[in-house]
Amino acid sequence: MPKANKISTVAVIGAGQMGTGIAEVLAKHGYEALIYDLDKNRVRASIEASAGYFRRQGETGKMPGEAAEQAILRIKGAFSLPDLASADLVVEAVSENEGIKRKVFAEVCTVLKPDAILATNTSSLSITRLAASTDRPNRFIGIHFMNPVPVMKLVELVRGIGTDQETFATAKAFAESIGKTVTVSEDFPAFIVNRVLIPMINEAIYTLYEGVGNVEAIDTGMKLGANHPMGPLELADFIGLDTCLSIMQVLHEGLADSKYRPCPLLVKYVEAGWLGRKAQRGFYDYS
Ligand code: CAA
């Protein structure tokens, strides 16, 4: 199995949709994945979901059965921070909240090897600012995966102002070793993909809000008219409306331009707890 220089064990912090997908891709490509979350039940559910994913891969012939079984064994639950001490790389994938992320990094730094690399899967926040909250800003980098992680080919790499060349080279080799194509973005709000994608989704929500079209018309229009695999409102539900709103807020505040104003309807849905698929309700009803 290909291994990026000096990395064999990777800690994934946050056992949600993204963390689970990241652990699956790691295990598939021969890395030991330690999955950690404050909520131990989420760790168990994540491991269970990944085992199901690999079993289906084996049963449908997408992976040899033996390889699928071995991949299942490479994902291990971490139930306290010291369990992460052997990690060569940490990938943080907790919710898109700067305070929570800073706290996670401050805590994990106390148990890590001094040369372990810290990576964040943030989809919008400043890498430089997050790095500054750790004891190793030179060994800190943004590795931004796309959802669903096992399917999407891209990873964005984002250096903070202090990220050293060795960390960048190791992260790039690592991302390529798990089958991803790398694009490099400078450290600006929401980087490249979300700078373009999330305002498009926000505009689709304005299109709904202003009554230009209904949900089906907007999504069908963009699926068949622009060849997008999902319509923008379906995609917003898939990403999570809270995440979409938080990215728009980072763009609005960070770039100080009214063109990034979050649509009031998006704000209202989030306030109602209609967060998309994960809440069973967003622009569509999933109950
Ligand atoms: N995990 C693993 N595999 C998955 C999966 C998941 N969560 N979801 C789908 N798949 C796999 C399926 O098993 C299937 O695999 P095979 O081709 O080997 O059979 C394949 O993906 C296609 O799935 P389906 O046939 O079920 O459905 P589909 O053809 O409609 O594709 C989709 C589903 C891949 C999600 C597609 O709709 C799509 O590409 N949507 C757009 C996704 C997108 O834009 N993602 C980026 C979001 S933005 C982001 O992530 C950045 C951010 O920070 C917010």
Side-chain angles (χ1 to χ4, degrees), residues 41 48 55 74 85 93 109 132 139 148 157 163 191 193 223 242 252 256 267-268 278 285:
N41 286 331
E48 194 69 18
R55 284 200 193 99
R74 281 196 284 268
C109 281
R139 302 183 71 71
L157 284 188
T163 307
F191 319 127
V193 172
K223 270 198 288 195
D242 50 345
H252 197 210
V267 175
K268 197 166 272 192
K278 63 186 168 190
D285 184 353

Side-chain angles (χ1 to χ4, degrees), residues 238-260:
F238 181 66
I239 292 169
L241 301 191
D242 50 345
T243 302
C244 292
L245 176 58
S246 128
I247 296 170
M248 282 312 295
Q249 286 166 336
V250 168
L251 282 166
H252 197 210
E253 283 159 25
L255 299 171
D257 189 326
S258 63
K259 76 179 177 180
Y260 298 112

Side-chain angles (χ1 to χ4, degrees), residues 3-9 31 87-89 113 115 117 139 166 170:
K3 294 274 174 71
N5 195 16
K6 291 188 248 167
I7 293 175
S8 62
T9 300
Y31 291 94
D88 307 301
L89 168 69
K113 300 183 276 194
D115 62 347
I117 292 178
R139 302 183 71 71
E166 190 192 345
T170 305

